[in-house]
Amino acid sequence: LQQILRRKEVEKRLGLSRSSIYVMMAEGRFPKSVKLGHRAVGWRSDDLQRWLDEKRESEREWLPYPP
């Protein structure tokens, strides 16, 4: 069963602010949220993990030497 993480947990785990998350979402640089209710959203843990993996991979491409 896939886990859904609420915004506060996403902020805590990723070290991102609320505004950064929503700006990156609007720019297509962060996974879209899932509506959970009238005023509640969350993110699929698999989507966040995939995003992190892609970020790490793209950072490695810019390193002047292999990690």
Side-chain angles (χ1 to χ4, degrees):
L1 185 63
Q2 183 171 233
Q3 201 176 15
I4 301 291
L5 302 174
R6 298 293 303 274
R7 183 180 49 83
K8 288 280 186 187
E9 184 64 23
V10 172
E11 291 173 8
K12 181 179 170 185
R13 287 189 185 196
L14 300 180
L16 296 172
S17 68
R18 176 187 178 278
S19 59
S20 294
I21 290 170
Y22 285 105
V23 165
M24 288 191 301
M25 274 178 50
E27 295 173 348
R29 298 186 302 126
F30 194 79
K32 296 288 184 192
S33 59
V34 177
K35 192 167 180 94
L36 302 175
H38 179 65
R39 296 185 59 197
V41 297
W43 283 263
R44 293 179 182 94
S45 58
D46 291 353
D47 291 345
L48 294 174
Q49 187 60 54
R50 193 174 309 110
W51 179 79
L52 279 172
D53 293 344
E54 290 170 1
K55 294 283 288 176
R56 287 184 188 121
E57 187 59 37
S58 68
E59 287 174 0
R60 269 190 225 131
E61 293 171 5
W62 290 100
L63 288 176
Y65 52 88

